[in-house]
Amino acid sequence: MTDQNQTHFGFEQVAEAEKARRVAGVFDSVAQRYDLMNDLMSGGLHRLWKAFTIDRSGVREGSRVLDVAGGTGDLSLAFARRVGKSGQVWLTDINNAMLTNGRDRLADKGFLLPVAQCDAEKLPFPDDYFDCVTVAFGLRNMTHKDCALREMFRVLRPGGRLLVLEFSHVWKPLAPLYDFYSFKIIPRVGELVTKDADSYRYLAESIRVHPDQDTLKAMMAQAGFENVDYFNLTMGVVALHRGFKF
């Protein structure tokens, strides 16, 4: 096995195919309690982070939106309400359990959106199609982030924008407390709520090996995006990156 065939799964180095299998196992395990755990882990702040993302999206009635790694559909639901009947929102995820959960949740709220189970590194959509592409808390789980960013660039129309909402590198004075919370508290809560501490330990580790704010900004520029900027939220616990295709 060469280094080129390896990637990180949390703090471990594993084969790329092994990472894909193990990430799938994580989300198969947590899908049914995903929304509850988001509320518990963030104290409900994830709702504010997502609302901020929606506000910066520029999405309006008639827009076409692609929600990559959309999970249980929080962003898709908000976008569907914005685009109206003349717009279009696609909910996608590589994980069937998460996608099914999201599709059913949206249907329960009266929104029958198109869904697609697909790999973000190989999006099944035409060039220059969407006005906005979003990925919330999904990029860090992708094996080839550069490929995924290029695919998101490809499917955006000129004038469109990408929004990446993701855990990032926290303000340094807060780091010791944040580490204690991430590695001691979150896995225990995961064990109590989902009977799966290991999945939440991986999620905490995956945040630490994800590119920091400036590195991700540079990666987006390398993928072709222009006017790339980012907004630190909650002292850098989360960052929203935004880039445009011109």
Short mmCIF file of all heavy atoms in Angstrom, two decimals, residues 29 33 37 42 50 70 77-78 96 155 163 182-183 203:
data_model
loop_
_atom_site.label_atom_id
_atom_site.label_comp_id
_atom_site.label_asym_id
_atom_site.label_seq_id
_atom_site.Cartn_x
_atom_site.Cartn_y
_atom_site.Cartn_z
N SER A 29 -25.16 4.30 11.68
CA SER A 29 -25.40 4.15 13.11
C SER A 29 -26.16 5.33 13.72
O SER A 29 -27.02 5.14 14.58
CB SER A 29 -24.06 3.96 13.84
OG SER A 29 -24.23 3.94 15.23
N ARG A 33 -30.92 9.24 15.17
CA ARG A 33 -30.83 10.20 16.27
C ARG A 33 -29.98 11.42 15.89
O ARG A 33 -29.55 12.16 16.77
CB ARG A 33 -30.24 9.51 17.51
CG ARG A 33 -31.09 8.37 18.06
CD ARG A 33 -32.40 8.88 18.65
NE ARG A 33 -33.21 7.84 19.24
CZ ARG A 33 -33.15 7.48 20.52
NH1 ARG A 33 -32.30 8.07 21.33
NH2 ARG A 33 -33.92 6.53 20.97
N MET A 37 -29.01 14.56 18.37
CA MET A 37 -27.63 14.73 18.79
C MET A 37 -27.08 16.09 18.38
O MET A 37 -26.29 16.69 19.12
CB MET A 37 -26.76 13.61 18.22
CG MET A 37 -26.85 12.30 19.00
SD MET A 37 -26.27 12.45 20.72
CE MET A 37 -24.54 12.86 20.48
N SER A 42 -24.63 20.87 20.18
CA SER A 42 -24.39 22.29 19.91
C SER A 42 -25.23 23.21 20.78
O SER A 42 -25.13 24.44 20.66
CB SER A 42 -24.69 22.60 18.43
OG SER A 42 -26.09 22.56 18.18
N LYS A 50 -26.99 27.40 10.54
CA LYS A 50 -27.65 27.10 9.27
C LYS A 50 -28.48 28.29 8.79
O LYS A 50 -28.53 28.58 7.59
CB LYS A 50 -28.51 25.84 9.41
CG LYS A 50 -27.67 24.58 9.57
CD LYS A 50 -28.50 23.38 9.98
CE LYS A 50 -27.63 22.16 10.19
NZ LYS A 50 -28.39 21.00 10.74
N GLY A 70 -26.65 16.43 2.28
CA GLY A 70 -27.71 17.17 2.95
C GLY A 70 -28.30 16.51 4.17
O GLY A 70 -29.11 17.13 4.87
N LEU A 77 -34.94 22.03 3.40
CA LEU A 77 -36.26 22.52 3.80
C LEU A 77 -36.32 24.04 3.76
O LEU A 77 -37.27 24.62 3.21
CB LEU A 77 -36.58 22.02 5.21
CG LEU A 77 -37.90 22.50 5.81
CD1 LEU A 77 -39.08 22.06 4.96
CD2 LEU A 77 -38.04 21.99 7.24
N ALA A 78 -35.30 24.69 4.30
CA ALA A 78 -35.28 26.15 4.30
C ALA A 78 -35.20 26.70 2.88
O ALA A 78 -35.87 27.68 2.55
CB ALA A 78 -34.09 26.65 5.14
N ASN A 96 -27.40 6.16 2.37
CA ASN A 96 -28.82 5.89 2.14
C ASN A 96 -29.67 6.12 3.38
O ASN A 96 -30.78 6.64 3.29
CB ASN A 96 -29.01 4.46 1.63
CG ASN A 96 -30.45 4.13 1.32
OD1 ASN A 96 -31.16 3.54 2.13
ND2 ASN A 96 -30.91 4.54 0.16
N VAL A 155 -20.90 22.18 -11.50
CA VAL A 155 -22.36 22.19 -11.65
C VAL A 155 -22.97 23.56 -11.38
O VAL A 155 -24.16 23.76 -11.62
CB VAL A 155 -23.02 21.12 -10.76
CG1 VAL A 155 -22.50 19.73 -11.11
CG2 VAL A 155 -22.82 21.42 -9.28
N LEU A 163 -21.48 27.50 -0.78
CA LEU A 163 -21.42 27.77 0.65
C LEU A 163 -21.02 26.49 1.37
O LEU A 163 -21.70 25.46 1.22
CB LEU A 163 -22.78 28.26 1.16
CG LEU A 163 -23.26 29.59 0.59
CD1 LEU A 163 -24.74 29.78 0.84
CD2 LEU A 163 -22.47 30.73 1.20
N SER A 182 -15.11 17.96 23.43
CA SER A 182 -15.19 17.12 22.23
C SER A 182 -14.85 15.66 22.52
O SER A 182 -15.51 14.75 22.01
CB SER A 182 -14.24 17.65 21.15
OG SER A 182 -14.59 18.95 20.75
N PHE A 183 -13.81 15.43 23.33
CA PHE A 183 -13.30 14.08 23.50
C PHE A 183 -13.78 13.39 24.77
O PHE A 183 -13.70 12.16 24.87
CB PHE A 183 -11.77 14.10 23.47
CG PHE A 183 -11.22 14.47 22.11
CD1 PHE A 183 -10.63 15.71 21.91
CD2 PHE A 183 -11.32 13.61 21.04
CE1 PHE A 183 -10.14 16.07 20.67
CE2 PHE A 183 -10.83 13.96 19.79
CZ PHE A 183 -10.24 15.19 19.61
N LEU A 203 -16.22 11.62 14.92
CA LEU A 203 -16.64 12.93 14.45
C LEU A 203 -15.82 14.04 15.10
O LEU A 203 -15.46 15.03 14.45
CB LEU A 203 -18.13 13.13 14.73
CG LEU A 203 -19.07 12.23 13.90
CD1 LEU A 203 -20.50 12.38 14.38
CD2 LEU A 203 -18.97 12.54 12.42
#
